[in-house]
């Protein structure tokens, strides 16, 4: 009874997460409630569900055993959450300094095909270095400045979602699911990059190539620049942003020399504009370079020290924090509020962190109760082939969030060592070897879970972000982009299987 009730609570919570826009309840709230209810039910059903575990737990009581399990799972989850928080703060800090403008401002083409490939390539590699969600937000914001026609822009946004998910799949810091596998030691940074970059490129290049055929000969037109707004209610006039350091420095000096009338009473947008005026191009580029270097250094730090990835990301954040504090030490409080880590922390997406905490705790509860072991046995009996199982997981991730799917797979299938394979031979050895660190199962899981979500716009964080920013209709995406995403996904999957089977 309790076993079935736990599964029912998880399914209901899952539906609430998938339908958050329909029921108007944030998915973080649904995930947290689901986690607490799952663990509470586990407490009441422990005597029947955990008979074998309790017998092997060295005379621990039910509450002691469950608290021990909970602390164990929470330690694993905390590593993921601290890593995500560090990465989110670094990216937010770069964005606060308008660092991405240094790259995106160089795009000048009006050819629809050239712009398509430029956006696609930038998105693919940005996503690998940053993450697919952040890259999507940056690229959609850029497209608003490059493409005036709304429906034409939707095509580009659709390609951004596909390329962001494909680019994130092959990098240990590009997608939260790949990060989970990396932190869980199922994969290593260097091997997953080498193993997945080609299938991921195929998953992005095939849709781009197909759409290029339809875009041939077309041009894109930029929106007309709005007239500059003159600040009439304040003694400060913010002119148009200049490109040269000298002009920006002069503007910043002018802003400091003219007294501000009650900055506390100004709208947040206006305070942000004042803060932006104090940023020189040299500052912008330095924060961009330092921030990207901090993100890229994480795998190197882990390899050198063997410390968990969150230690590397916090190390990079600490350096960037000190740098920005020194850089803005002479600026007013309202500049520091927007440009330093202390201020940026108030803008970090905490609901997303709580969502990950809730859903990972809920999955951990099901793993402790034995649900995921039973699901793994059912998948093996029904499908058998591990490649097919991963392809199915990828397609399923377009309907539901890929985080719990991957978390479930990590609990369903064991991470084996060479010692576990002693005495095995033939087909059994070949199958079990896929569950070693950097085994084919884990790499293909990262690819499928990362790119499969592109098939529906609600299937990935990147798609949901694009949908919200551009008011992109679900049905429009389904009719025009989903087919392209599916073709790319299957082409990349076929490439991976061909490389490993042939």
């Amino acid at each position: 009874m309790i076993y079935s009730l736990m599964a029912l609570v998880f399914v209901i919570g899952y539906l609430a997460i998938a339908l958050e826009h329909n029921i108007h309840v944030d998915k973080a709230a649904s995930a947290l409630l689901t986690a607490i209810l799952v663990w509470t039910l586990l407490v009441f059903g422990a005597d029947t569900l955990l008979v074998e575990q309790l017998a092997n737990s060295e005379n621990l009581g039910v509450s002691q055993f469950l608290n021990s399990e909970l602390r164990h799972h929470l330690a694993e989850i905390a590593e993921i959450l601290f890593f995500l928080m560090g990465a989110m703060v670094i990216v937010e800090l770069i964005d606060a300094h308008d660092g991405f403008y240094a790259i995106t401002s160089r795009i000048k083409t009006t050819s629809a095909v050239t712009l398509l490939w430029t956006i696609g390539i930038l998105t693919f590699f940005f996503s690998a270095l940053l993450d697919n969600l952040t890259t999507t937000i940056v690229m959609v914001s850029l497209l608003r400045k490059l493409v005036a026609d709304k429906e034409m822009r939707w095509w580009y946004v659709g390609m951004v979602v596909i390329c962001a998910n494909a680019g994130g799949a092959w990098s240990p810091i590009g997608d939260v699911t790949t990060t989970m596998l990396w932190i869980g030691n199922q994969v290593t940074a260097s091997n997953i990059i080498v193993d997945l970059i080609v299938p991921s490129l195929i998953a992005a290049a095939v849709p781009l190539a197909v759409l290029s055929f339809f875009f041939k000969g077309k041009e894109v037109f930029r929106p007309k620049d709005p007239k500059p707004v003159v600040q009439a209610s304040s003694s400060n006039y913010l002119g148009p942003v200049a490109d040269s350091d000298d002009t920006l420095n002069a503007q910043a000096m002018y802003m400091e020399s003219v007294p501000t009338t009650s900055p506390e009473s100004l709208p947040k947008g206006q305070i942000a504009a004042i803060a932006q005026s104090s940023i020189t191009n040299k500052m912008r580029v330095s924060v961009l370079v330092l921030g990207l270097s901090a993100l890229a250094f994480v795998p190197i730090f882990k390899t050198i020290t063997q410390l968990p990835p969150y230690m590397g990301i916090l190390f990079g954040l600490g350096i960037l924090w000190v740098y920005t504090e020194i850089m803005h030490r002479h600026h007013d409080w309202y500049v520091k509020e927007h440009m330093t880590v202390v201020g940026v922390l108030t803008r970090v997406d905490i609901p997303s962190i709580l969502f990950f905490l809730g859903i990972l705790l809920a999955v951990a509860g099901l793993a402790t109760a034995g649900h995921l072991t039973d699901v793994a046995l059912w998948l093996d009996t029904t499908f058998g082939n591990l490649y097919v199982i991963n392809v199915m997981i990828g397609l399923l991730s377009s309907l539901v969030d890929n985080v719990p799917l991957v978390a479930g797979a990590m609990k369903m299938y064991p991470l084996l060592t060479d010692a576990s394979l002693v005495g095995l031979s033939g087909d059994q050895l070949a199958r079990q070897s896929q569950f070693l660190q950097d085994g084919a199962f884990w790499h293909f899981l990262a690819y499928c879970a990362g790119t499969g979500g592109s098939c529906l716009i609600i299937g990935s964080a990147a798609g949901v972000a694009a949908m919200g920013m551009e008011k992109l209709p679900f049905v429009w995406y389904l009719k025009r982009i989903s087919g392209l995403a599916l073709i790319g996904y299957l082409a990349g999957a076929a490439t991976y299987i061909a490389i490993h089977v042939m």
Side-chain angles (χ1 to χ4, degrees):
M1 176 64 180
I2 296 292
Y3 181 89
S4 301
L5 194 55
M6 288 177 66
L8 179 63
V9 167
F10 186 79
V11 170
I12 293 173
Y14 219 117
L15 288 174
I17 291 169
L19 300 174
E20 66 168 331
H21 297 292
N22 301 88
I23 64 177
H24 304 291
V25 175
D26 192 278
K27 63 182 180 180
S30 301
L32 287 174
L33 284 175
T34 301
I36 302 305
L37 289 174
V38 164
W39 278 93
T40 302
L41 288 170
L42 181 57
V43 170
F44 291 119
D47 290 333
T48 55
L49 295 176
L50 304 176
V51 175
E52 185 178 346
Q53 293 95 317
L54 289 171
N56 299 324
S57 63
E58 299 179 355
N59 298 321
L60 290 177
V62 172
S63 62
Q64 290 175 308
F65 175 77
L66 285 177
N67 279 307
S68 175
E69 284 291 298
L70 188 56
R71 282 193 294 269
H72 169 72
H73 290 299
L74 192 58
E76 294 179 347
I77 293 168
E79 290 192 14
I80 298 173
L81 297 187
F82 278 118
F83 179 87
L84 288 175
M85 288 178 65
M88 290 166 71
V89 172
I90 289 174
V91 171
E92 185 68 34
L93 198 60
I94 295 173
D95 193 47
H97 288 80
D98 202 18
F100 298 110
Y101 176 80
I103 298 174
T104 57
S105 62
R106 300 179 183 276
I107 301 175
K108 305 294 183 183
T109 184
T110 58
S111 166
V113 174
T114 303
L115 180 62
L116 179 68
W117 282 94
T118 301
I119 293 294
I121 293 170
L122 279 176
T123 302
F124 184 84
F125 288 104
F126 268 20
S127 182
L129 187 57
L130 304 177
D131 65 74
N132 48 14
L133 175 59
T134 302
T135 300
T136 299
I137 294 170
V138 171
M139 299 310 291
V140 170
S141 301
L142 168 66
L143 284 169
R144 290 175 175 173
K145 301 174 184 177
L146 296 177
V147 184
D149 182 73
K150 183 173 70 174
E151 184 157 347
M152 188 70 168
R153 188 166 65 245
W154 283 352
W155 283 101
Y156 285 97
V157 170
M159 290 299 104
V160 164
V161 172
I162 292 174
C163 293
N165 287 332
W170 61 275
S171 165
I173 60 174
D175 183 272
V176 65
T177 53
T178 311
T179 301
M180 288 164 59
L181 291 167
W182 180 43
I183 292 176
N185 289 317
Q186 277 81 3
V187 302
T188 59
S190 57
N191 283 317
I192 199 168
I193 290 172
V194 172
D195 210 24
L196 290 188
I197 188 168
V198 173
S200 298
L201 274 171
I202 296 295
V206 169
L208 288 173
V210 173
L211 193 56
S212 296
F213 178 78
F214 295 101
F215 276 9
K216 191 174 182 180
K218 292 185 178 181
E219 290 189 349
V220 291
F221 301 96
R222 300 190 178 202
K224 294 181 179 179
D225 293 328
K227 294 181 179 179
V229 178
V230 177
Q231 182 66 38
S233 60
S234 171
S235 60
N236 291 328
Y237 168 65
L238 299 181
V241 177
D243 292 328
S244 69
D245 281 0
D246 292 338
T247 306
L248 281 166
N249 283 327
Q251 186 187 52
M253 290 173 62
Y254 174 71
M255 288 301 304
E256 290 176 358
S257 65
V258 180
T260 304
T261 305
S262 302
E264 297 90 341
S265 63
L266 295 176
K268 288 184 178 180
Q270 189 173 332
I271 295 176
I274 296 172
Q276 282 285 347
S277 70
S278 67
I279 303 302
T280 66
N281 191 55
K282 186 181 294 184
M283 291 178 179
R284 185 182 298 121
V285 173
S286 66
V287 172
L288 172 67
V289 171
L290 195 57
L292 295 183
S293 298
L295 292 168
F297 181 68
V298 174
I300 301 172
F301 181 88
K302 184 178 186 294
T303 302
I304 294 173
T305 66
Q306 297 302 310
L307 290 171
Y310 74 88
M311 294 292 286
I313 203 76
L314 293 179
F315 174 70
L317 175 60
I319 291 176
L320 199 58
W321 194 331
V322 170
Y323 177 77
T324 53
E325 288 282 348
I326 294 173
M327 186 169 69
H328 296 295
R329 65 188 182 280
H330 297 308
H331 290 147
D332 291 322
W333 67 266
Y334 49 85
V335 175
K336 294 180 180 179
E337 186 179 63
H338 286 269
M339 299 297 173
T340 62
V341 173
V342 174
V344 165
L345 281 170
T346 64
R347 304 195 295 275
V348 170
D349 189 7
I350 296 299
S352 291
I353 298 294
L354 293 176
F355 163 71
F356 292 130
L357 172 63
I359 202 65
L360 292 173
L361 272 178
V363 170
L366 295 182
T368 302
H371 291 75
L372 301 186
T373 303
D374 294 340
V375 172
L377 291 173
W378 178 81
L379 286 171
D380 286 341
T381 304
T382 305
F383 299 106
N385 188 289
L386 293 175
Y387 290 112
V388 174
I389 290 173
N390 271 332
V391 170
M392 297 300 295
I393 289 175
L395 293 176
L396 188 59
S397 73
S398 67
L399 292 171
V400 294
D401 197 279
N402 59 2
V403 171
L405 285 175
V406 172
M410 291 170 68
K411 300 296 184 183
M412 286 189 293
Y413 297 99
L415 174 61
L416 301 180
T417 62
D418 291 330
S420 306
L421 305 183
V422 175
L424 301 180
S425 60
D427 292 340
Q428 191 177 18
L429 176 62
R431 178 183 175 83
Q432 294 301 100
S433 64
Q434 295 191 46
F435 297 109
L436 294 171
Q437 186 182 53
D438 286 318
F441 177 82
W442 303 119
H443 284 186
F444 198 41
L445 174 63
Y447 168 81
C448 292
T451 59
S454 302
C455 295
L456 291 177
I457 196 168
I458 62 170
S460 65
V464 172
M467 186 181 186
M469 292 179 70
E470 278 293 306
K471 303 295 184 287
L472 204 163
F474 175 87
V475 175
W476 188 95
Y477 188 97
L478 180 66
K479 289 180 177 178
R480 294 167 176 81
I481 305 297
S482 292
L484 295 172
L486 180 61
I487 292 171
Y489 169 69
L490 294 177
T495 301
Y496 183 89
I497 294 171
I499 291 173
H500 285 266
V501 173
M502 293 183 178

